[in-house]
Amino acid sequence: MSQSVGIRPQVTGDLYAEVQTFYATQMRRVDSLDIEGFAATFTEDGEIVHAGGRRQSGRAEMLAGMRAALPRYKDIATRHWFGHLLIEADPADEDTVRVSYYTLVTQTDREGKVSFQPTFTVDDVLVRRDGVLLTRSRVITQDGPDTRAAAA
Amino acid sequence: MSQSVGIRPQVTGDLYAEVQTFYATQMRRVDSLDIEGFAATFTEDGEIVHAGGRRQSGRAEMLAGMRAALPRYKDIATRHWFGHLLIEADPADEDTVRVSYYTLVTQTDREGKVSFQPTFTVDDVLVRRDGVLLTRSRVITQDGPDTRAAAA
Amino acid sequence: MSQSVGIRPQVTGDLYAEVQTFYATQMRRVDSLDIEGFAATFTEDGEIVHAGGRRQSGRAEMLAGMRAALPRYKDIATRHWFGHLLIEADPADEDTVRVSYYTLVTQTDREGKVSFQPTFTVDDVLVRRDGVLLTRSRVITQDGPDTRAAAA
């Protein structure tokens, strides 16, 4: 019964720390609206599929999208919180790492009031280039009720 | 004065990553209402003591309890967030690991509105069987005001 | 373009686990209002600069401040949640570690209702003394809107 818990090859502590540190850097950039710095954490041809299905391909398209959205953030501080990372190094290519994680997004206004976006689950493919992790693809899915409950 | 901070034997990075990965798997199962998969992350005789004192012993009893609760989740997506894991390998048995952690539980409804359950602290005993971690016991405690404040 | 993501020397899994375990211990103490135990996780001359600019220098001053604040906590359970730790061991002194992290603070009242303080970013300097980490300095900054949005 406990088969699949252990099938995933063990993640080393070093890889776990490397991936967490990569996201700590990437999220500081997006949360501080350093959009050029954020785009630079993706490969040149990196891709994001947003929760609604909108796709951004390449750094230039990401930058344009983020630049257009900047005014929305003029009165709020956004912070992305991650949970429950599942990290899998590609057995055929140690420089490719698949990561899945939960995200909770807080927005604090000028009065200090915190509000929340819906929660999301994110699936990334990271690649290591010259010793540095970069995001090659990201698929963001908004969490919704599971059909197993409706069927019960 | 700093005695007890260091008494705990140092957790290795590998064990830290192993335990975090175990919970990432276990929580994905409970949050996606994969109740059979969730039960399979416990030992056959695994036990949960819930915050109100209710005790579930063994996978069969857990499954029955979760199956009865499924309809409550038909309009919400639940996510468990963990914080501040304290991990202690049993010095006498390296396949027994005690873990304590904070949990925050979000529930997102169909409109994307997030609500929160009270926070909890959880104390687990994990055992490694054939290289795979399983939960043998779990005690869930709802966080309440500390008596030290009332005494001040 | 991806220069600075990788400049930071790689954090080992062991150091990552050691630092996380240190905070798990320190936060359990402050959240359980064990103010003496909390103060003992700082060096004797440890310093905290709070978000408003107030500075507490040394354990005695921290203790006095926390003791005065205790009555505020008599009806709530506070929990500190951390995110996105960036850990840098000092290359010139392996017993000095700089850590930056996000914090989210929940307060649960006697009815189980959760409220949130504004989010903060914290910059710590930790030192290892006789094998034990202690906080030597902490600077807490409340997250505010970034000027890049206003300029857009």
Side-chain angles (χ1 to χ4, degrees):
Chain A
M1 287 290 284
S2 58
Q3 68 291 359
S4 61
V5 184
I7 281 180
R8 181 171 295 114
Q10 176 61 36
V11 176
T12 64
D14 287 347
L15 179 60
Y16 189 84
E18 181 187 9
V19 169
Q20 289 273 18
T21 301
F22 169 71
Y23 287 119
T25 300
Q26 188 182 58
M27 290 301 111
R28 266 173 184 67
R29 293 184 183 184
V30 71
D31 289 340
S32 69
L33 307 176
D34 172 12
I35 61 180
E36 289 81 10
F38 176 70
T41 64
F42 284 76
T43 60
E44 192 62 58
D45 63 347
E47 198 165 67
I48 303 180
V49 181
H50 291 274
R54 186 168 53 94
R55 180 182 301 261
Q56 290 177 317
S57 297
R59 288 179 185 165
E61 200 171 305
M62 284 179 208
L63 276 170
M66 290 189 287
R67 205 167 282 131
L70 273 182
R72 268 192 251 157
Y73 297 93
K74 77 179 164 51
D75 292 315
I76 50 170
T78 302
R79 292 295 180 270
H80 289 77
W81 306 84
F82 282 24
H84 292 312
L85 276 74
L86 277 176
I87 299 171
E88 295 185 80
D90 188 324
D93 170 12
E94 65 173 25
D95 288 325
T96 298
V97 182
R98 284 162 208 284
V99 191
S100 162
Y101 50 91
Y102 289 9
T103 59
L104 179 69
V105 183
T106 56
Q107 298 195 308
T108 304
D109 70 15
R110 292 190 183 275
E111 281 68 51
K113 189 175 173 301
V114 177
S115 58
F116 294 86
Q117 293 186 5
T119 61
F120 296 89
T121 301
V122 181
D123 290 283
D124 277 3
V125 178
L126 309 182
V127 292
R128 198 183 288 102
R129 297 271 168 84
D130 302 323
V132 174
L133 289 176
L134 298 170
T135 304
R136 188 166 66 198
S137 81
R138 169 163 300 169
V139 178
I140 305 171
T141 307
Q142 184 174 332
D143 298 329
D146 197 278
T147 51
R148 292 181 231 230
Chain B
M1 288 289 285
S2 60
Q3 68 294 357
S4 61
V5 184
I7 283 179
R8 182 172 294 114
Q10 176 60 37
V11 176
T12 64
D14 287 348
L15 179 61
Y16 190 84
E18 181 186 11
V19 169
Q20 289 274 17
T21 300
F22 168 72
Y23 286 120
T25 301
Q26 187 181 59
M27 290 301 112
R28 267 173 183 66
R29 294 184 182 183
V30 70
D31 288 341
S32 69
L33 307 177
D34 172 11
I35 61 179
E36 288 81 9
F38 176 71
T41 65
F42 284 76
T43 59
E44 192 62 57
D45 63 347
E47 196 165 70
I48 303 179
V49 180
H50 291 275
R54 186 169 52 95
R55 180 183 300 261
Q56 290 176 317
S57 297
R59 289 178 182 165
E61 198 172 307
M62 284 179 210
L63 277 170
M66 289 189 287
R67 204 167 281 130
L70 273 180
R72 270 192 250 156
Y73 297 92
K74 78 181 164 48
D75 292 316
I76 50 169
T78 302
R79 291 295 178 270
H80 289 78
W81 306 84
F82 282 23
H84 293 311
L85 275 73
L86 277 176
I87 299 171
E88 296 185 80
D90 187 323
D93 170 13
E94 64 173 25
D95 288 326
T96 297
V97 182
R98 283 162 209 284
V99 191
S100 160
Y101 50 90
Y102 289 9
T103 59
L104 180 68
V105 183
T106 57
Q107 298 194 309
T108 304
D109 69 15
R110 292 190 183 275
E111 281 68 50
K113 189 174 173 301
V114 178
S115 58
F116 294 86
Q117 293 186 4
T119 61
F120 296 88
T121 300
V122 181
D123 290 282
D124 277 3
V125 178
L126 309 181
V127 291
R128 198 182 288 101
R129 298 271 168 84
D130 301 322
V132 175
L133 288 176
L134 298 170
T135 304
R136 189 168 64 199
S137 81
R138 169 163 299 168
V139 177
I140 305 171
T141 307
Q142 184 173 333
D143 298 329
D146 197 278
T147 51
R148 293 181 231 230
Chain C
M1 288 290 284
S2 59
Q3 68 291 359
S4 61
V5 184
I7 281 180
R8 181 171 295 115
Q10 175 62 36
V11 176
T12 64
D14 287 348
L15 180 60
Y16 189 84
E18 181 187 10
V19 169
Q20 289 274 18
T21 301
F22 169 70
Y23 286 121
T25 301
Q26 187 182 57
M27 289 302 111
R28 267 172 184 67
R29 293 184 184 185
V30 71
D31 289 341
S32 68
L33 307 177
D34 172 12
I35 60 179
E36 289 81 8
F38 176 71
T41 65
F42 284 76
T43 59
E44 191 63 57
D45 64 347
E47 197 164 70
I48 304 179
V49 181
H50 291 273
R54 186 169 52 95
R55 179 183 301 262
Q56 291 176 317
S57 297
R59 289 180 183 164
E61 199 172 305
M62 286 180 207
L63 277 170
M66 290 189 287
R67 204 167 283 131
L70 274 180
R72 270 193 250 155
Y73 296 93
K74 75 180 166 50
D75 292 316
I76 50 169
T78 302
R79 292 294 179 271
H80 289 78
W81 307 83
F82 281 24
H84 292 313
L85 275 74
L86 277 176
I87 299 170
E88 295 186 80
D90 188 324
D93 171 12
E94 64 173 25
D95 288 326
T96 298
V97 182
R98 283 164 208 284
V99 190
S100 161
Y101 50 91
Y102 289 8
T103 59
L104 179 68
V105 183
T106 56
Q107 299 195 307
T108 304
D109 69 14
R110 292 190 183 274
E111 281 67 50
K113 189 175 172 302
V114 178
S115 59
F116 294 86
Q117 293 187 5
T119 61
F120 296 88
T121 300
V122 181
D123 290 282
D124 277 3
V125 178
L126 309 182
V127 291
R128 198 183 287 101
R129 298 270 168 84
D130 301 322
V132 175
L133 289 177
L134 298 171
T135 304
R136 188 167 66 198
S137 81
R138 168 162 301 168
V139 177
I140 305 171
T141 308
Q142 185 174 332
D143 298 329
D146 197 278
T147 51
R148 292 181 231 230

